[in-house]
Amino acid sequence: MAALDLFGRRWNLRIVWELQHGPVGFRALQQRCDNMSSSVLRQRLTELLDAHLVTQQPDTAYTLTDLGHGVYQALRPLARWSDAWASALGEDGEH
Amino acid sequence: MAALDLFGRRWNLRIVWELQHGPVGFRALQQRCDNMSSSVLRQRLTELLDAHLVTQQPDTAYTLTDLGHGVYQALRPLARWSDAWASALGEDGEH
DNA sequence: GTGAGTTGATTCGATTTCCGAAGCGGCAGG
DNA sequence: CCTGCCGCTTCGGAAATCGAATCAACTCAC
């Protein structure tokens, strides 16, 4: 239930999603997230750091922990579903 | 990506989660969601209705569509992960 | 049929969150 | 030095969220 609360906050899902490919720096991460506000990004990152989903490397780059990588795995069915969702909505509006 | 936006809104994940057991009325649904604000609940419900994840029955009760049920299925890995997450955080703070 | 209780739904002012742009100090290279 | 990039902070305004009051419709008891 706490998970639904954490991920119910804007950008948290997206940030985990964008960190899947490996360590990313602060400003680069911001750009990947549609240039979201830097203030909110920092806020979200501390939340994810506290939740032990994200770690900060010696070179200050951010990356997923093992736990965080588990989230990404758990998120993949949702990504697969979103494809079905998109096509279902697409058939709606056409013709 | 639109899915991350929709579910990045507060309560949307929770509402889908709470509708898993079948049709629920407006006020009952509100109570299940920690007595969330009724104004926001209505707003979220119209969003979910527009997204075809939720339908309103003749007796005005809300229930998941087939599409909405797919979301719930896609959410179950996340629920399973949250258990591992909870125990990992639990070991942290103890002793 | 009238009065009390419940339900889905709306309104509105207050609070919280989010945004975005500017700016900070630190650290490169030229 | 100066310029440019970096992680990060500050702050004022905009937007989302809240909470409580309220409405019309419906039920049920009496």
Side-chain angles (χ1 to χ4, degrees):
Chain A
M1 208 91 294
L4 291 186
D5 182 64
L6 177 63
F7 295 130
R9 284 191 170 78
R10 224 167 191 168
W11 298 115
N12 268 342
L13 278 177
R14 177 72 174 271
I15 290 173
V16 171
W17 188 260
E18 296 294 345
L19 284 178
Q20 72 184 265
H21 304 110
V24 183
F26 185 90
R27 269 175 139 100
L29 183 56
Q30 180 183 9
Q31 287 179 341
R32 286 206 193 186
C33 295
D34 296 335
N35 280 300
M36 66 175 288
S37 174
S38 59
S39 51
V40 179
L41 175 57
R42 190 87 240 307
Q43 190 176 336
R44 289 293 108 87
L45 282 173
T46 59
E47 288 174 15
L48 294 173
L49 288 169
D50 287 348
H52 295 84
L53 303 188
V54 171
T55 327
Q56 201 162 11
Q57 293 183 333
D59 62 349
T60 75
Y62 295 94
T63 185
L64 289 181
T65 63
D66 289 347
L67 214 49
H69 220 264
V71 177
Y72 175 67
Q73 298 295 338
L75 237 45
R76 283 167 57 183
L78 196 64
R80 230 178 301 122
W81 169 87
S82 70
D83 293 339
W85 181 51
S87 62
L89 286 189
E91 292 166 7
D92 253 16
E94 297 183 13
H95 315 304
Chain B
M1 207 92 294
L4 290 187
D5 182 64
L6 176 63
F7 296 130
R9 284 187 170 77
R10 218 168 192 172
W11 298 115
N12 268 343
L13 278 178
R14 177 72 175 270
I15 290 172
V16 171
W17 186 260
E18 295 293 345
L19 284 178
Q20 73 185 262
H21 303 110
V24 183
F26 184 90
R27 269 173 140 98
L29 183 56
Q30 181 182 11
Q31 288 179 340
R32 286 205 194 187
C33 295
D34 296 335
N35 280 299
M36 65 175 286
S37 175
S38 59
S39 53
V40 178
L41 176 56
R42 190 88 238 312
Q43 190 176 336
R44 289 294 110 87
L45 282 172
T46 60
E47 288 175 14
L48 294 174
L49 288 169
D50 287 349
H52 294 84
L53 303 188
V54 171
T55 327
Q56 202 164 10
Q57 293 184 333
D59 63 349
T60 75
Y62 295 94
T63 186
L64 290 181
T65 63
D66 289 347
L67 214 49
H69 220 264
V71 178
Y72 174 67
Q73 299 293 339
L75 238 44
R76 281 168 59 183
L78 196 64
R80 229 178 302 121
W81 168 88
S82 70
D83 292 339
W85 181 51
S87 62
L89 286 190
E91 291 166 8
D92 253 16
E94 297 183 13
H95 316 304

